[in-house]
Amino acid sequence: MNRVVNVARMQLINKWTFLGIPAIIMVSAFLITLAIWAMIPASGETFYSGASQAVMWYFMALGIQSLTLTFPFSQAMSVSRRTFYIGTVGLFATVALVISVLYYLLGLVEVATNGWGFNGQLYALDWIANEHAVVQILFYFIAMVALFMIGFWFATIYKRWQATGMLLTWIAIAVVLIGLLGLTSWQGWWPLVGQWFVAQTPLSVSAWAALFCAVLAGGSYLTLRRATP
Amino acid sequence: MIDDSRPIFLQIAELIENDIVDGALAEESQVPSTNEFAAFYRINPATAAKGVNRLVDDGILYKKRGIGMFVAAGARSRLLAQRRDDFFREYVQPMTREARKLGISTAQLTEMLHRTESTSDMTEGSVSR
Amino acid sequence: MNNPTTPAAIELRQVTKTYRDAKALDEVSLRLEGNRIYGLLGRNGAGKTTLMSVLTGQGFQTSGEALVFGQRPYENDGVLSRICFIRESQKYPDDFNARQAFKSASLFFKQWDQAFADQLVEEFQLPLNRRIKKLSRGQLSAVGVIIGLASRAEITFFDEPYLGLDAVARQIFYDRLVEDFAAHPRTIILSSHLIDEVANLLEHVVLIDRGRIIMDDDAEAIRGTAVTVAGNASAVQSFAAGREVLHRESLGSLASWTVEGRMTNAERAEAAELGLELAPVSLQQLVVRKTMAATDAVVDTDSELEVLK
């Protein structure tokens, strides 16, 4: 257990990676968005911005780096793969949870200030802003974890099977997707699919994403167990 | 200093013996620790210890618990006696054997030895090899 | 430490590691007791790094069993926390500087000695605040050497630790290794092909060639087990009769053969009578000769097989 905590502490030795850079991305995305809104003449319509996603994409890159560089280093620190995995994912989940709560609180501020005075929507997106607080936080949280896991898992694949493995994985994913699309068209399922998508709520999306994360987490752990530095 | 011809522990033991014979290490004086020998000659500490322990077994050095290693009383004279024996075996015997081959009599040999003594410009190096 | 109930620090039982087309380790069995300095010698690609990877749970054997302190090291934090293995091509997080790498090491190695690490940093003149990926090859090696020494792990592996280090830095490494080992005995496995430089530091030598152990002996037992005999070719030949000849060289009527065996005084005298010169063979020369002899043997069997086909 102690070593798991130490893995998290090791990841935090360089404060910038897990804390500084995400903070900068979040603050600058916010300020740039406000600047853009300030420059566009108000038309009475609501401004939308996807800038709050920016930090999530950074987490995907972080997932990749955790594996390609921090994992080999953790091996030199005589840390087992399991300990490294739990410590790293645990730290990331904690950071993601904090940011999710922060997003929820910023959403409250956004609504209270009439969209930062510009009638803008940056955090309290229409689609989820009316949901229960827990659902909102859960939604952000799962989205971030999913991106981190994607980065982490792809990096594990790359680590073990190099470029060939990457290529085969992408081909496999493409084949499965095309197959599903073909099957849907062939069976005339599109209306059903449309209905299904419309029926989704933030909670159900979170649930699906959580399932996806669990699969990725399991997959990346099993791949990591056989990875060599 | 240390060469590849023989085990290092033997060479270490000899180096210490030399210091005792030529008086650099006086009887009852403390000798450096095995770790100091190891660091000085850049050798494995276990090897240095083996060399030192050989001298302890031979009674040339003795251990004072918790303090260190000391040269035993009488060590120098014992080493000298041992070396004289070695000298006889390794130098004198082969020399007399060779002398006999060449038809040099004992008297002639003695005369030769007197002659070298009087020239006495021989360096230590040329004696040993 | 060495009583029969304590398991060996390291034990390999018929460990084989196969890469796609080659055997990196070929049924290696080895037992190493604790608290000694071992030399793991062999040519590049002989299997040294693979052996150390398997022993630290970083790599996987294809078959056989590797035990450290009597347990399997793979995913075993209890065992791993007592080992330190910095690779020759060790990777560090992109944004780390040396100071941060040492801070990490202090988290994971219980015996970490920061004062010792600081002293080594000064002696190696290592810039602490420069990013590791911007360090020179020698400075990068110094980072690994410092972690390995200051970790004081019960088993420390040094994998060709001197790449890019100049002669002065290498000497600092050897000196500190001997001193610190004397003060804090532990198991050191030093993989190297600069054999002459490390020969006197080793208590035990393991020579590996093409994934096979071809020598596993105390350094002191090896020292002086071979001599080079030089002189008139026919005299050399008669002197070498009945001995294992590791190497033959000749120039006209002169020959220089490396033969196995410790010379007695009588044999020395015999050589002198024949007008032959005897020269000691260094550990490095012995390793080269042994390896080449092993290679010849392999080539011979190969060509015999060819003939049989």
Side-chain angles (χ1 to χ4, degrees):
Chain A
M1 193 56 214
N2 196 11
R3 288 174 81 79
V4 170
V5 174
N6 281 338
V7 168
R9 289 175 64 190
M10 174 185 81
Q11 299 273 19
L12 289 175
I13 283 177
N14 190 332
K15 301 276 184 297
W16 287 103
T17 317
F18 265 88
L19 306 176
I21 295 175
I24 289 176
I25 292 177
M26 282 163 57
V27 170
S28 53
F30 176 66
L31 294 178
I32 290 168
T33 306
L34 287 196
I36 292 170
W37 286 346
M39 284 185 285
I40 302 172
S43 61
E45 281 183 36
T46 308
F47 289 134
Y48 295 99
S49 168
S52 57
Q53 287 175 24
V55 76
M56 302 192 187
W57 294 106
Y58 171 72
F59 285 140
M60 192 158 102
L62 202 56
I64 295 171
Q65 183 188 317
S66 288
L67 196 93
T68 51
L69 295 162
T70 319
F71 166 64
F73 183 64
S74 79
Q75 287 278 292
M77 296 289 105
S78 295
V79 175
S80 71
R81 292 163 177 82
R82 179 182 58 250
T83 302
F84 170 73
Y85 185 82
I86 299 172
T88 302
V89 174
L91 170 66
F92 178 79
T94 310
V95 172
L97 189 64
V98 169
I99 294 179
S100 303
V101 172
L102 193 66
Y103 270 27
Y104 168 70
L105 295 175
L106 287 169
L108 292 183
V109 176
E110 186 171 290
V111 172
T113 57
N114 185 27
W116 312 102
F118 294 105
N119 192 21
Q121 277 191 11
L122 184 53
Y123 301 106
L125 301 175
D126 266 348
W127 189 53
I128 58 166
N130 299 323
E131 296 287 335
H132 190 273
V134 174
V135 176
Q136 291 192 40
I137 292 169
L138 185 71
F139 177 79
Y140 287 126
F141 175 72
I142 296 286
M144 284 185 238
V145 172
L147 283 166
F148 180 80
M149 280 295 169
I150 290 173
F152 196 81
W153 188 61
F154 273 112
T156 349
I157 299 227
Y158 182 76
K159 188 93 207 155
R160 270 192 69 182
W161 293 292
Q162 309 296 315
T164 329
M166 264 335 247
L167 190 67
L168 287 176
T169 308
W170 281 114
I171 290 173
I173 291 173
V175 166
V176 169
L177 281 180
I178 290 168
L180 284 176
L181 293 177
L183 188 69
T184 311
S185 302
W186 178 53
Q187 294 284 347
W189 284 346
W190 283 116
L192 287 172
V193 172
Q195 281 168 24
W196 185 82
F197 269 109
V198 171
Q200 294 307 306
T201 64
L203 184 60
S204 65
V205 169
S206 302
W208 286 113
L211 184 67
F212 178 61
C213 281
V215 171
L216 279 179
S220 49
Y221 177 59
L222 291 178
T223 326
L224 181 69
R225 273 186 65 92
R226 300 298 294 175
T228 49
Chain B
M1 235 165 358
I2 302 282
D3 65 53
D4 289 311
S5 60
R6 291 165 310 141
I8 293 176
F9 82 95
L10 288 178
Q11 302 185 46
I12 289 292
E14 263 180 34
L15 283 165
I16 300 173
E17 283 179 358
N18 285 345
D19 280 348
I20 296 174
V21 168
D22 65 24
L25 276 174
E27 289 176 7
E28 296 299 345
S29 70
Q30 189 168 7
V31 295
S33 70
T34 57
N35 289 345
E36 285 169 323
F37 275 117
F40 184 76
Y41 291 110
R42 297 197 169 105
I43 56 172
N44 188 292
T47 312
K50 202 173 165 194
V52 170
N53 286 336
R54 185 186 166 89
L55 295 181
V56 173
D57 292 343
D58 290 351
I60 301 297
L61 302 180
Y62 68 96
K63 278 180 189 164
K64 273 191 198 166
R65 194 168 276 270
I67 305 175
M69 212 78 71
F70 293 81
V71 180
R76 183 163 186 269
S77 54
R78 281 184 44 213
L79 284 174
L80 277 174
Q82 197 182 315
R83 292 214 168 177
R84 282 180 193 124
D85 285 349
D86 292 346
F87 175 79
F88 180 74
R89 225 169 339 104
E90 287 170 24
Y91 295 94
V92 180
Q93 282 183 333
M95 179 176 72
T96 45
R97 224 180 294 136
E98 185 71 11
R100 204 138 303 143
K101 249 196 243 171
L102 300 175
I104 301 171
S105 70
T106 309
Q108 282 168 315
L109 194 58
T110 322
E111 191 270 327
M112 282 175 178
L113 285 174
H114 282 304
R115 225 191 306 155
T116 43
E117 201 132 282
S118 63
T119 48
S120 77
D121 57 352
M122 294 200 89
T123 56
E124 211 178 307
S126 56
V127 166
S128 63
R129 255 315 115 183
Chain C
M1 234 6 231
N2 290 331
N3 66 63
T5 52
T6 11
I10 283 171
E11 185 164 7
L12 293 167
R13 295 182 191 148
Q14 309 227 297
V15 171
T16 295
K17 166 75 183 179
T18 320
Y19 288 109
R20 231 161 274 161
D21 47 351
K23 269 190 180 170
L25 295 176
D26 191 358
E27 304 229 335
V28 169
S29 295
L30 188 65
R31 193 185 153 92
L32 304 181
E33 299 299 335
N35 295 339
R36 292 186 191 164
I37 301 180
Y38 291 93
L40 182 57
L41 312 179
R43 306 181 64 182
N44 288 332
K48 303 191 294 285
T49 304
T50 309
L51 188 70
M52 292 188 279
S53 294
V54 167
L55 280 171
T56 50
Q58 297 193 16
F60 310 103
Q61 67 267 41
T62 314
S63 65
E65 191 163 40
L67 299 175
V68 176
F69 304 122
Q71 297 177 46
R72 293 201 183 96
Y74 174 62
E75 289 298 83
N76 186 337
D77 275 296
V79 165
L80 291 177
S81 64
R82 300 161 69 185
I83 305 178
C84 178
F85 173 35
I86 308 292
R87 285 166 175 276
E88 173 244 304
S89 55
Q90 182 58 50
K91 288 189 190 131
Y92 297 87
D94 247 2
D95 43 20
F96 261 31
N97 58 34
R99 187 193 301 284
Q100 292 166 326
F102 298 148
K103 184 141 185 249
S104 284
S106 75
L107 291 174
F108 294 104
F109 297 109
K110 286 168 283 184
Q111 324 283 341
W112 179 262
D113 184 335
Q114 187 60 45
F116 187 31
D118 291 342
Q119 178 204 335
L120 292 165
V121 164
E122 199 146 299
E123 289 182 295
F124 285 118
Q125 301 175 354
L126 181 71
L128 275 177
N129 295 321
R130 194 180 301 165
R131 280 193 181 196
I132 291 178
K133 66 173 180 179
K134 301 218 164 128
L135 295 180
S136 71
R137 177 66 240 196
Q139 291 169 330
L140 187 65
S141 294
V143 175
V145 162
I146 294 172
I147 293 178
L149 282 173
S151 71
R152 297 231 172 95
E154 284 173 66
I155 301 180
T156 308
F157 295 88
F158 289 103
D159 184 11
E160 310 273 359
Y162 43 68
L163 283 187
L165 289 181
D166 58 39
V168 175
R170 293 205 298 275
Q171 197 59 65
I172 293 171
F173 168 56
Y174 303 138
D175 287 354
R176 294 300 161 267
L177 178 66
V178 169
E179 280 171 21
D180 202 59
F181 173 82
H184 305 272
R186 52 200 194 264
T187 306
I188 306 279
I189 311 230
L190 183 56
S191 134
S192 175
H193 52 235
L194 294 182
I195 301 168
D196 273 344
E197 287 192 359
V198 300
N200 292 356
L201 309 183
L202 309 176
E203 186 171 347
H204 194 96
V205 171
V206 175
L207 174 60
I208 184 166
D209 183 58
R210 298 150 187 265
R212 267 180 278 195
I213 308 277
I214 59 173
M215 192 196 278
D216 172 14
D217 219 337
D218 280 347
E220 288 285 78
I222 296 167
R223 208 174 298 280
T225 54
V227 283
T228 298
V229 194
N232 178 280
S234 56
V236 168
Q237 197 162 2
S238 70
F239 184 78
R243 292 177 211 277
E244 187 76 29
V245 180
L246 292 174
H247 182 68
R248 293 182 174 85
E249 252 172 61
S250 60
L251 180 69
S253 64
L254 292 178
S256 167
W257 289 13
T258 304
V259 298
E260 260 187 282
R262 218 181 268 286
M263 294 297 123
T264 62
N265 282 340
E267 287 168 322
R268 287 182 186 283
E270 182 199 340
E273 226 149 278
L274 287 166
L276 297 175
E277 228 171 280
L278 294 182
V281 176
S282 73
L283 186 62
Q284 169 149 317
Q285 287 171 313
L286 195 61
V287 162
V288 169
R289 297 299 172 225
K290 282 259 184 190
T291 311
M292 283 168 62
T295 307
D296 288 346
V298 170
V299 172
D300 284 350
T301 27
D302 282 355
S303 50
E304 276 165 28
L305 290 176
E306 287 294 312
V307 171
L308 288 175
K309 283 179 196 166

